[in-house]
Amino acid sequence: MKTSIRILLILCCCTILAACHRHQPTPTAVTADTVRTDKPAAPRRVQAAVAPMDYQWFSTRIALSINNIRPEKEVVSLTAFVVNKKDSALFITLNKLGIEIARLLLTKDSVKFANHLSREYYWGTYTWLTKQIGMDINFYTVQALISAQDLPGFEHVFIADTTADSIIYTAAGRNNIAHTMILEEKIVTDTMHHMLYHYIKDISSLNTLCVNYNKYTPIDNYTCYQSINIEIPNENIRIDGLLKNTKFNIAGPTTSRIPVKYTPIGTSH
C-alpha cells in the first residue's frame, strides 16, 4: 500500500514516470473485511512457585485464640500440639489449662477423632471431616495447609502478577484432577516464595477458607512461619495461632487409642 501511494505522488510531479506507474500493481482498496484484527494473547497459566518444605517430621505447639469475626470477640483460648510425619500421619491434640480435651489423627485413608469432654469418638473416612468443615478435604489438603504449601492434585492454572515485594497467583476456576471439585484460589508469596496468604473458595458450596502465614523464621536449616491466622467466614470464625518449640525431623506420636467407654459420635444420649 505504501508503494502505490509513493508512485501516485511521483506521477503528480513528473509525467515521465507514467510508464512505471502502468507496471505497478493496482492498489487494493481497504475494506472492513481486509483489516487484520489480532486478539490479545491469553495470559500464560503457571504453577504457583512455593518454597518447598522437604522434611520427614514436623512438630510444634500452637497457642490458639478462637474468635468470632463479627462481632470481634474471643470465644476460647487453647493450646494445640501438632506432629506431622510427612505423607503418612498428622497427629493433633487440643489442650485447655494443661488438660487434653480432644485428639485428632489423620492418615491417608482414615480419620480418628476423640472428644474427651463429651466422651465421643469418630473413626472412619474423610466424609465426616468434610461435613464438619463444609469443604471436600483429605489428608494431603490438611498437610499442605499446615506446611504452607499449594494444594496437591489440582491443575496448574494460576495467572501470576509480580510486585516489588510479592508474587500474586490467582485462579478463577481450578479443577481437581481426580475429582469434580473446582476452587477459586489466590496465593500470595514473598520474593523468596514463602507463602503469605492462601484464599480458597469451593465453587460448589461457596464455602471459603483464608489462611495468613507470618513471621518466617530460620529453624533447623528450614524456614517456617511462626504465626498463622485462619478465617472461616461462613462460620464467622477466625483462629489466631502463635507457634513455639517448632522442630524438624524429630519423631513424635502418631497413634491414638479410643477409650472403651466412649460412644460413636451421633449415638450418645
Side-chain angles (χ1 to χ4, degrees), residues 36-45:
R36 185 176 176 180
T37 56
D38 292 331
K39 295 182 179 179
R44 189 167 65 94
R45 310 286 176 163

Side-chain angles (χ1 to χ4, degrees), residues 59-75:
S59 64
T60 190
R61 295 188 183 276
I62 310 177
L64 296 174
S65 174
I66 302 176
N67 309 273
N68 285 333
I69 298 175
R70 294 183 182 86
E72 178 71 30
K73 181 181 179 181
E74 183 178 75
V75 178

